[in-house]
Amino acid sequence: KAGVTQTPRYLIKTRGQQVTLSCSPISGHRSVSWYQQTPGQGLQFLFEYFSETQRNKGNFPGRFSGRQFSNSRSEMNVSTLELGDSALYLCASSFTLRRPDADQPQHFGDGTRLSIL
Amino acid sequence: AQSVTQLGSHVSVSEGALVLLRCNYSSSVPPYLFWYVQYPNQGLQLLLKYTSAATLVKGINGFEAEFKKSETSFHLTKPSAHMSDAAEYFCAVSPGGTALIFGKGTTLSVSS
C-alpha cells in the first residue's frame, strides 16, 4: 500500500512568488492535514480537509490556502512568498476526521522542503 | 487551550543506556497524547499514543510511555538505546479532529 506522497520534495522560490504543493493521501483516506515545520516555530498546524471541505484552520495568514479534490488529493498554496515561509511542509492523511489512534492512525508524508531566496 | 512542553531540546546518551525524553501537557479535559519520531529528511512516524485505555503505553521499537495525571506528564522511555534511535522526537496532543499540537521536539543523540 503506497504511503502519503508529497510533491515536489524540494522547491526553491524567490520572495513575492507563489507556490503550490501537492499531497496524495493513502488510498481510501479522506482526511488531509497540513503542517509547517521550521527550526524556530517547530511544527504548526495549517489546515485540515475532509470531503473537499476545510474543517479546521490554524493561525496562519490568508496567504496560506488549500483545497481538496474529489479524489482526496490536496494542494496548498502560498502567495506572495516571504523569507519566513522557508520550511518543511508536511502533509498527513487519515481515514476519518476522528482523533488519530491505533484504529485510525494518521500517516505523514516525507514533506516538501521550500526554500525562499 | 491544550499544549505540550518538551523539556530539553537535546538529549545525549550512550548506546545501551536508558533513554528518557520528557513531555508535560496542559489540558482541561482528558487528553489524547502521542509521541512521534522524525528521521532526517523524512516525515513523522507514530511511536505510541495514549487514549485513556491504559496509563502505560507500549509502542514500536521498544519505546514506552507512562501517563501520569498527577504530574501532567507523558515521558517517553526506552531501556537500552541503539544507534538507530538517533532522531528527533515530538510529543503531541490532539485537541480534536486530526489536528495535532506538537512540542518543540527533542533531538536524541546516541554515542557508541
Side-chain angles (χ1 to χ4, degrees):
Chain A
K1 193 174 187 181
V4 178
T5 303
Q6 292 189 246
T7 56
R9 286 296 312 276
Y10 302 93
L11 204 49
I12 299 175
K13 292 286 187 179
T14 57
R15 281 181 297 173
Q17 288 186 310
Q18 74 167 16
V19 67
T20 299
L21 312 181
S22 178
C23 172
S24 294
I26 289 174
S27 177
H29 284 193
R30 298 169 62 194
S31 174
V32 173
S33 299
W34 288 88
Y35 294 84
Q36 182 195 64
Q37 184 176 20
T38 60
Q41 299 299 316
L43 278 155
Q44 294 184 285
F45 171 73
L46 278 157
F47 24 66
E48 168 187 61
Y49 284 87
F50 183 81
S51 293
E52 302 178 64
T53 302
Q54 188 179 93
R55 305 290 178 150
N56 197 0
K57 189 178 190 304
N59 188 25
F60 278 81
R63 299 186 297 108
F64 291 82
S65 62
R67 59 178 175 169
Q68 186 180 36
F69 302 94
S70 59
N71 62 358
S72 295
R73 189 178 71 85
S74 177
E75 290 181 347
M76 68 162 283
N77 184 276
V78 187
S79 62
T80 319
L81 286 166
E82 301 176 359
L83 291 177
D85 298 333
S86 293
L88 180 67
Y89 290 88
L90 292 168
C91 164
S93 78
S94 57
F95 187 68
T96 69
L97 270 178
R98 283 173 41 194
R99 286 189 173 100
D101 58 23
D103 296 328
Q104 300 284 347
Q106 190 174 74
H107 297 267
F108 281 81
D110 287 338
T112 293
R113 185 164 297 281
L114 175 63
S115 299
I116 311 301
L117 303 180
Chain B
Q2 298 187 0
S3 65
V4 290
T5 301
Q6 292 183 242
L7 303 175
S9 60
H10 200 144
V11 170
S12 296
V13 300
S14 299
E15 196 170 22
L18 171 71
V19 174
L20 172 60
L21 305 182
R22 300 175 187 274
C23 174
N24 288 89
Y25 70 88
S26 173
S27 176
S28 58
V29 298
Y32 276 53
L33 293 163
F34 306 83
W35 275 100
Y36 283 85
V37 62
Q38 185 178 35
Y39 298 100
N41 297 316
Q42 292 187 24
L44 301 172
Q45 181 182 7
L46 179 66
L47 279 175
L48 49 81
K49 52 80 182 169
Y50 168 75
T51 57
S52 77
T55 56
L56 183 61
V57 182
K58 293 187 183 300
I60 63 172
N61 301 339
F63 285 94
E64 63 180 36
E66 186 173 8
F67 175 76
K68 291 187 177 180
K69 185 177 179 181
S70 61
E71 299 177 7
T72 62
S73 68
F74 189 57
H75 301 332
L76 181 71
T77 60
K78 182 174 180 177
S80 177
H82 294 163
M83 297 293 287
S84 61
D85 294 327
E88 190 161 18
Y89 292 79
F90 294 92
C91 181
V93 64
S94 171
T98 60
L100 293 169
I101 299 171
F102 288 92
K104 293 292 187 183
T106 298
T107 300
L108 175 66
S109 299
V110 182
S111 58
S112 57

